Amino acid sequence: MELITYKKATLKYHPLETMNAGLELTGGEVKSVRNKLGSLEGSRVVVRGGEAFITGMTIPPYQVANTPKGYDPERPRRLLVTKQELLELAAAESKKGLTIVPFSLYNYRGLIKARIAIVRGKGKEDRREDLKKREAERESARLLKNR
């Protein structure tokens, strides 16, 4: 079940390869994500010191009154990936023109997981073509529905 999605990701980026990863969260953050609070807007994955982190993701406190004093809603959160996946992510990050973006957070057997993708950014022309294709599909679906 998808909890938080980055809705504009497919509009901005062309995914080359997707993978799933666990997230290291505190208890209050898990409760916030399960209540579908938070945003992946502007977030990305960075690999530093042999570990992968999601930066730019915002998870607000679950209960504002009970939040620890030093809580930062935009702190980098560690991804739990295998060594092989970490090497893939590091190689992709070092290539020019590629970036790693989280597409969604979802619940899997009681655990919060992230669906991340190695992506290439789309230019304006690509975005316009995608919008034209979507509009044409909608129009054809409307015509078929009205028959």
Side-chain angles (χ1 to χ4, degrees), residues 62-131:
Y62 176 64
Q63 293 176 332
V64 179
N66 294 337
T67 305
K69 287 186 179 179
Y71 180 71
D72 180 16
E74 293 190 10
R75 73 177 177 86
R77 288 156 179 99
R78 188 166 67 151
L79 283 173
L80 307 173
V81 294
T82 63
K83 288 182 182 180
Q84 182 65 34
E85 290 172 336
L86 188 64
L87 292 173
E88 266 184 63
L89 293 175
E93 186 182 36
S94 66
K95 288 185 183 175
K96 185 172 178 161
L98 296 182
T99 229
I100 308 160
V101 176
F103 272 54
S104 65
L105 299 181
Y106 63 96
N107 193 3
Y108 177 74
R109 295 185 184 176
L111 303 173
I112 304 297
K113 302 272 187 171
R115 183 167 292 115
I116 60 176
I118 299 169
V119 296
R120 184 176 308 279
K122 289 184 181 177
K124 278 189 177 181
E125 303 82 28
D126 296 334
R127 291 180 195 169
R128 287 180 185 153
E129 287 177 21
D130 285 349
L131 290 174

